[in-house]
Amino acid sequence: MKKTDVLVIGGSAAGIVTALTGKNQYPEKDFLVIRKEKEVVVPCGIPYIFGTLESSSQNVIPDVGLEKAGINLIIGEVIEIDPENKTCLLADGEKIGYEKLVLAIGSIPVKPNWLNGKDLDNVFIVPKDKEYLDRMIRKLQDKQKIVVIGGGFIGVEISDELKKQGKDVTVVEILPHILGAVFDKELATKAEEILIDRGVKVEAGVGIQELCGNGKVTSVKLQDGRELEADAVILSMGYKPNVDLAEKAGIKTNELGFIVADQFLRTHTPDIFAVGDCAEKRDFITNKPIGAMLASTACAEARVTGMNLFILETVRTFSGTISNFATALGDHSFGVAGITEDNARAEGFDIITALFEGVDHHPGKLPGTHKQTVKLVVAKDSGLILGGSVFGSHSAGEIVNVIGLAIQNKMTVSSLLTMQIGTPPLLTAPPTAYPLIKAAELALKKTHSNA
Amino acid sequence: MKKTDVLVIGGSAAGIVTALTGKNQYPEKDFLVIRKEKEVVVPCGIPYIFGTLESSSQNVIPDVGLEKAGINLIIGEVIEIDPENKTCLLADGEKIGYEKLVLAIGSIPVKPNWLNGKDLDNVFIVPKDKEYLDRMIRKLQDKQKIVVIGGGFIGVEISDELKKQGKDVTVVEILPHILGAVFDKELATKAEEILIDRGVKVEAGVGIQELCGNGKVTSVKLQDGRELEADAVILSMGYKPNVDLAEKAGIKTNELGFIVADQFLRTHTPDIFAVGDCAEKRDFITNKPIGAMLASTACAEARVTGMNLFILETVRTFSGTISNFATALGDHSFGVAGITEDNARAEGFDIITALFEGVDHHPGKLPGTHKQTVKLVVAKDSGLILGGSVFGSHSAGEIVNVIGLAIQNKMTVSSLLTMQIGTPPLLTAPPTAYPLIKAAELALKKTHSNA
């Protein structure tokens, strides 16, 4: 029987980064990654193969990183884990022993059982499966009217890409606004306006009843009775953790269906770790289990797992997801990190919010200057920064990271105000009106006036 | 005699932000800003009035912020401070009493006494003086050959702007490479290549001997004997703190000529603060007095001053400048925060450096993808991040801020590796190869292999 020190099941972001970090930390150990896919797609790049990219081949994670690091790779499927004997059984009958096992088995698209018509022709999901996606793109080529069910990030990004290809695209979102699950109303409304402005139709605040058609899908019936014509339907209704393999092996899952994992990403079963979309996510602020799935969170978990595989170290723990979400629509970008105002209020936090609207260059007369708005959610008593969001140009993505780092370092608005933020004219807002800092100032003022 | 609670001398970034933050913190107090200039130019925007902007009027800090906040403004010149009686004398004979005085009197361009020919016609400096700059731009209009002395940020940015106007521009820099005072060799070399590629001639590693001409400047004689023809010369040889007013009042200055200021920006004279370019700068890492002048540092100091004017609070202190410098040349951007490798070694730190070259979008096949390189300087024993630099596209400016926040929060490479960094495809590097994180990983590996 083959044996390896560390066996990683899954070859997407979480698996790769666990193996690379682990090998970096423990170079003397053998690492083996087993994955099903011949080629692995970049998960967050999937929407762009529907438009901007020429083909899915431009959206593949190369294996060269694993090879260079001396990590072994098998294309194959693990069908059974035996935690007692510390072995895995592959579909081809091979057995592999491990000292440490890492489950990086990801997530699968939601395709609700209650949805009539879900198996009609030209109804698609968005799995991380290159062959499926290639087929789907080919089939979409001669379809004109496309209805996208679910206005989360994947739904919105695919809609925008399909619109760029000249399709007639409608997004249906059950929440009052697209991206409404992660953004507060101001930002969600802004994103929705921009998407509509770019030619995508939006039906928000209404759910779907069923998909209609005879063999092929022809329309989507909404809960308010209206029917939208459709040559094709894309279900982007979220993802669920892929945990069958783990559950069969008796590895504990939580109430949301994720594999339970501690601050080192250890499962309840000895020597087995779980990372990425399949692993339990807890909110950094509330510590409650949540359903957020992000490659960036997966990679942070993977680094923590990799570093702690053989030796635990309390300064290297994962403290919960800060749900750092961002995207771009044309020249505009939106992002959020930490808790939103709505969620904070619903949880019962006593908060202050502050919003500052400025510009992303200075002086503002410089060509290419774009509005930049930052909103902060702050704990009223301690002044701790609990969350923040940004609307701006493409630099917004990294500003969300500045906010994310402030949250993860448990900074207060007062300590943020003592920080030096670099402000070169062509790259950022002015030093006198950097929106993040101005929002912190407003928050501080509100704290005083309420004291 | 007029009296005010807080008198701020100087109306550029440091003065404005001190007044605004102070008024925000102490709304019951009267604030008065006195400045000489009718209109205040955005300091770091000055280079762009030589090309990209239509005129200096597009580069003015509006007064509306002060007005809205209820801060009084006088255009006038303070010619004497009487710290004993807590009054200031204006050039027009008026006396104003203060409870707290803030010196935000800035810096003035260096025009060395030893330089023959410095007062010839068409030899310019770059002061923060709109009227001077307007005259200078008019005079430069019919000049073709322009020699810029000093390849720091102002010199490089002005050169690039003048080149855009079709001028024949040469930068002379005494250090081996342009921007060599703040960047390590890799980055300085890269910036220099790009500037040359954009058509600016660079003479680096050579000083100047004198400016020649009869009435008007006609050439620049270099220390190696060569002579560069010149229709105009721009001296961008740095700035010195503007401290005459302070020194006359007996306010203590340090060995570099800056007004001595503590962690609350208090001078040695009771009830007098100093902020911005005129105030002592200490390096965040070494705590040594340094000469770095940055609007971003000035604004951070100003916020600390404003908050501490009447009530000190130890969580609101300024801990030294992290020298966050960045700029853009066309689509390329460069930036640095904290200590450089060269300076760290010269100071005697035991350091590790790590450099990772990646891309700023993912997948890398997305249109507009630009290289992104991050270099970290890390304390070998503790793993503390002491400095970092970025070369990339325009998002580099905010990545420098991510690094700056890591330094100011005293993060180690190990704690940075546990952080979640958002990575949307169109806005950032991939989660699996985010250059800042990869550089931290390499640094950690080097620590291990050296242990």
Coordinates of all heavy atoms in Angstrom, one line a residue, chain A residues 76-110:
Chain A
G76 N -7.6 11.4 -9.7 CA -8.4 10.2 -9.3 C -9.5 10.6 -8.3 O -9.5 11.8 -7.9
E77 N -10.3 9.6 -7.9 CA -11.4 10.0 -7.0 C -11.3 9.1 -5.7 O -11.3 7.9 -5.8 CB -12.7 9.7 -7.7 CG -13.9 10.3 -6.8 CD -15.2 10.1 -7.5 OE1 -15.3 9.5 -8.6 OE2 -16.2 10.5 -6.9
V78 N -11.3 9.8 -4.6 CA -11.4 9.1 -3.3 C -12.8 8.8 -3.0 O -13.7 9.7 -3.1 CB -10.8 10.0 -2.1 CG1 -11.0 9.3 -0.8 CG2 -9.3 10.2 -2.4
I79 N -13.1 7.5 -2.8 CA -14.5 7.1 -2.6 C -14.8 6.7 -1.2 O -16.0 6.6 -0.7 CB -15.0 6.0 -3.6 CG1 -14.1 4.8 -3.5 CG2 -15.0 6.5 -5.0 CD1 -14.6 3.5 -4.2
E80 N -13.7 6.5 -0.4 CA -14.0 6.1 1.0 C -12.8 6.5 1.9 O -11.6 6.4 1.4 CB -14.2 4.6 1.1 CG -15.1 4.2 2.2 CD -15.2 2.6 2.2 OE1 -16.0 2.1 1.3 OE2 -14.5 2.0 2.9
I81 N -13.1 7.0 3.1 CA -12.0 7.4 4.0 C -12.2 6.4 5.2 O -13.3 6.2 5.7 CB -12.2 8.8 4.5 CG1 -12.1 9.8 3.4 CG2 -11.1 9.1 5.6 CD1 -12.5 11.2 3.7
D82 N -11.1 5.8 5.7 CA -11.1 5.0 6.8 C -10.3 5.7 7.9 O -9.0 5.5 8.0 CB -10.5 3.6 6.5 CG -10.5 2.7 7.7 OD1 -10.7 3.1 8.8 OD2 -10.2 1.5 7.5
P83 N -10.9 6.4 8.8 CA -10.2 7.2 9.7 C -9.4 6.4 10.8 O -8.4 6.8 11.3 CB -11.2 8.1 10.4 CG -12.5 8.0 9.6 CD -12.4 6.7 8.9
E84 N -10.0 5.2 11.0 CA -9.4 4.3 12.0 C -8.0 3.8 11.6 O -7.1 3.9 12.3 CB -10.4 3.0 12.1 CG -10.2 2.3 13.4 CD -11.2 2.7 14.4 OE1 -11.9 3.7 14.3 OE2 -11.4 1.9 15.4
N85 N -8.0 3.3 10.3 CA -6.8 2.8 9.8 C -6.0 3.9 9.0 O -4.9 3.6 8.4 CB -7.0 1.6 8.9 CG -7.7 0.5 9.7 OD1 -7.1 0.0 10.6 ND2 -8.9 0.1 9.3
K86 N -6.5 5.1 9.0 CA -5.9 6.2 8.3 C -5.5 5.8 6.8 O -4.3 6.0 6.4 CB -4.7 6.7 9.1 CG -5.1 7.2 10.5 CD -4.0 7.6 11.4 CE -3.3 8.9 11.0 NZ -2.4 9.4 12.0
T87 N -6.5 5.4 6.1 CA -6.3 5.1 4.7 C -7.5 5.7 3.9 O -8.6 6.0 4.4 CB -6.3 3.6 4.4 OG1 -7.6 3.1 4.8 CG2 -5.2 2.9 5.1
C88 N -7.2 5.9 2.6 CA -8.3 6.3 1.7 C -8.4 5.3 0.5 O -7.3 4.8 0.0 CB -7.9 7.7 1.1 SG -8.2 9.0 2.2
L89 N -9.6 5.0 0.1 CA -9.8 4.1 -1.0 C -10.1 4.9 -2.3 O -11.0 5.8 -2.2 CB -10.9 3.1 -0.7 CG -11.3 2.1 -1.8 CD1 -10.2 1.2 -2.1 CD2 -12.6 1.4 -1.4
L90 N -9.5 4.6 -3.4 CA -9.7 5.3 -4.6 C -10.7 4.5 -5.5 O -10.9 3.3 -5.3 CB -8.4 5.6 -5.4 CG -7.7 6.9 -5.0 CD1 -7.3 6.9 -3.6 CD2 -6.5 7.1 -6.0
A91 N -11.3 5.2 -6.4 CA -12.3 4.6 -7.3 C -11.7 3.4 -8.1 O -12.3 2.5 -8.5 CB -12.9 5.6 -8.3
D92 N -10.4 3.6 -8.4 CA -9.7 2.5 -9.2 C -9.2 1.3 -8.3 O -8.5 0.5 -8.7 CB -8.6 3.1 -10.0 CG -7.4 3.6 -9.1 OD1 -7.5 3.5 -7.8 OD2 -6.5 4.2 -9.6
G93 N -9.6 1.4 -7.0 CA -9.3 0.3 -6.1 C -8.0 0.5 -5.3 O -7.8 -0.3 -4.3
E94 N -7.2 1.5 -5.6 CA -6.0 1.7 -4.9 C -6.3 2.2 -3.5 O -7.3 2.9 -3.3 CB -5.1 2.7 -5.6 CG -3.7 2.7 -5.1 CD -2.8 3.7 -5.8 OE1 -3.3 4.4 -6.7 OE2 -1.6 3.8 -5.4
K95 N -5.4 1.8 -2.5 CA -5.6 2.3 -1.2 C -4.3 3.2 -0.8 O -3.2 2.8 -1.2 CB -5.7 1.2 -0.2 CG -7.0 1.1 0.6 CD -6.9 0.1 1.6 CE -8.4 -0.3 2.1 NZ -8.4 -1.4 3.0
I96 N -4.5 4.3 -0.2 CA -3.4 5.1 0.2 C -3.5 5.5 1.7 O -4.5 5.9 2.2 CB -3.4 6.4 -0.6 CG1 -3.3 6.1 -2.2 CG2 -2.2 7.3 -0.2 CD1 -3.3 7.3 -3.1
G97 N -2.4 5.2 2.4 CA -2.3 5.6 3.8 C -1.8 7.0 4.0 O -1.1 7.5 3.2
Y98 N -2.2 7.6 5.1 CA -1.8 9.0 5.4 C -1.5 9.1 6.8 O -1.9 8.4 7.7 CB -2.9 9.9 5.0 CG -4.2 9.8 5.8 CD1 -4.4 10.3 7.1 CD2 -5.3 9.0 5.3 CE1 -5.5 10.1 7.8 CE2 -6.5 8.9 6.0 CZ -6.6 9.4 7.3 OH -7.7 9.2 8.0
E99 N -0.6 10.1 7.1 CA -0.4 10.5 8.5 C -1.4 11.6 8.9 O -2.0 11.6 9.9 CB 1.0 11.0 8.7 CG 1.4 11.1 10.2 CD 2.8 11.6 10.4 OE1 3.6 11.5 9.5 OE2 3.1 12.1 11.5
K100 N -1.5 12.6 7.9 CA -2.5 13.7 8.1 C -3.3 13.7 6.8 O -2.8 13.7 5.7 CB -1.8 15.0 8.3 CG -0.8 15.1 9.4 CD -1.5 15.1 10.8 CE -0.5 15.2 11.9 NZ -1.1 15.1 13.2
L101 N -4.6 13.9 7.0 CA -5.5 14.0 5.8 C -6.2 15.4 5.8 O -6.6 15.9 6.8 CB -6.6 12.9 5.9 CG -7.7 12.9 4.8 CD1 -7.0 12.5 3.5 CD2 -8.8 11.9 5.2
V102 N -6.2 16.0 4.6 CA -6.8 17.3 4.5 C -8.0 17.2 3.5 O -7.8 16.8 2.3 CB -5.8 18.4 4.0 CG1 -6.5 19.7 3.8 CG2 -4.6 18.5 4.9
L103 N -9.2 17.5 3.9 CA -10.3 17.5 3.1 C -10.5 18.9 2.5 O -10.8 19.9 3.2 CB -11.6 17.1 3.8 CG -11.5 15.8 4.5 CD1 -12.8 15.5 5.4 CD2 -11.3 14.6 3.5
A104 N -10.3 19.0 1.2 CA -10.5 20.3 0.5 C -11.4 20.0 -0.7 O -11.1 20.3 -1.8 CB -9.1 20.9 0.0
I105 N -12.6 19.5 -0.3 CA -13.4 18.9 -1.3 C -14.5 19.8 -1.8 O -15.4 19.4 -2.6 CB -14.0 17.6 -0.8 CG1 -14.6 17.7 0.6 CG2 -12.9 16.5 -0.8 CD1 -15.1 16.4 1.2
G106 N -14.5 21.1 -1.4 CA -15.2 22.1 -2.0 C -16.7 22.1 -1.9 O -17.3 21.7 -0.8
S107 N -17.4 22.7 -2.9 CA -18.8 22.9 -2.8 C -19.5 22.6 -4.2 O -18.8 22.5 -5.2 CB -19.1 24.3 -2.5 OG -18.5 25.2 -3.4
I108 N -20.8 22.4 -4.2 CA -21.5 22.1 -5.4 C -22.7 23.0 -5.5 O -23.3 23.5 -4.5 CB -21.9 20.6 -5.5 CG1 -22.5 20.2 -4.1 CG2 -20.8 19.7 -5.8 CD1 -23.0 18.7 -4.1
P109 N -23.1 23.3 -6.8 CA -24.1 24.3 -7.0 C -25.5 23.8 -6.4 O -25.8 22.6 -6.5 CB -24.2 24.4 -8.5 CG -23.0 23.9 -9.0 CD -22.5 22.9 -8.1
V110 N -26.2 24.7 -5.9 CA -27.6 24.4 -5.4 C -28.5 24.2 -6.6 O -28.6 25.1 -7.5 CB -28.1 25.5 -4.4 CG1 -29.6 25.3 -4.1 CG2 -27.3 25.5 -3.2

